[in-house]
Each structure stands twice: as structure tokens, then as C-alpha cells.
């Protein structure tokens, strides 16, 4: 899996692994002590993957079944990749 860093606008920086990515979306797994409601307060940010940064919209933050501190974050790219 590929490592990534998500910096939420006016919020925290989360590191994790890319689970999946396609034309206009990115899914990432990250460990955080924040709750689902706290993460839901953030809408935009930028993600760095392999040295490349792009703007994203945070669509959802769902805790995994295995660990409530591990979240699967789904983001939409502001400009879909080709």
C-alpha cells in the first residue's frame, strides 16, 4: 500500500495508507483519536501521495470494524486525475 498525508483545512494532519483510488476518489485508512463527528466537521484539505499534492473534499469518515480509532476516509478529488 502507498503512504499518504492528509492535511485538513483548519484542522489536523492525518497519515495513513491508500486503500483505493480512481478517477475522482481516494480512500485512505488512518489511525486517529478523533471521533467520527469531529472528523465530519472538516470538508476540504489536501493530500500528498508519492510527493504529489492535490486538493480533496472529505466525503466520509467511517470507523473500521476492527478498531474504532482506525478510520476509512473517502475523498473526492477537486480535479479528477486522468
Amino acid at each position: 500500500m502507498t503512504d499518504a498525508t492528509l492535511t485538513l483545512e483548519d484542522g489536523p494532519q492525518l497519515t495513513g495508507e491508500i486503500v483505493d483510488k480512481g478517477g475522482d476518489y481516494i480512500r485512505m485508512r488512518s489511525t486517529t483519536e478523533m471521533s467520527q463527528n469531529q472528523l465530519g466537521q472538516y470538508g476540504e484539505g489536501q493530500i500528498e501521495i508519492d510527493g504529489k499534492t492535490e486538493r480533496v473534499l472529505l466525503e466520509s469518515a467511517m470507523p473500521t470494524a476492527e478498531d474504532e480509532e482506525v478510520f476509512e476516509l473517502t475523498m473526492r478529488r477537486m480535479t479528477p486525475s486522468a
Side-chain angles (χ1 to χ4, degrees), residues 3 6 16 20 30 37 39 43-44 75 79 81:
D3 291 333
L6 173 65
D20 194 16
S30 180
N37 287 337
L39 283 170
E44 294 183 23
M75 296 155 278
T79 305
S81 67

Side-chain angles (χ1 to χ4, degrees), residues 60-72:
S60 68
M62 301 296 295
T64 63
E66 306 87 43
D67 187 340
E68 63 186 33
E69 288 186 352
V70 177
F71 282 81
E72 186 164 295

Side-chain angles (χ1 to χ4, degrees), residues 13-30:
Q13 187 176 72
L14 303 170
T15 57
E17 293 181 332
I18 298 299
V19 176
D20 194 16
K21 59 183 177 175
D24 68 342
Y25 72 93
I26 300 169
R27 286 188 326 170
M28 172 179 147
R29 248 181 212 208
S30 180

Side-chain angles (χ1 to χ4, degrees), residues 32-82:
T32 180
E33 293 181 6
M34 296 178 71
S35 70
Q36 186 175 7
N37 287 337
Q38 288 171 320
L39 283 170
Q41 295 176 16
Y42 300 100
E44 294 183 23
Q46 61 183 36
I47 191 164
E48 182 180 328
I49 305 170
D50 294 331
K52 297 178 183 174
T53 302
E54 57 187 304
R55 297 283 299 159
V56 292
L57 298 171
L58 180 61
E59 287 200 339
S60 68
M62 301 296 295
T64 63
E66 306 87 43
D67 187 340
E68 63 186 33
E69 288 186 352
V70 177
F71 282 81
E72 186 164 295
L73 308 170
T74 302
M75 296 155 278
R76 294 280 173 195
R77 291 179 165 109
M78 290 194 174
T79 305
S81 67

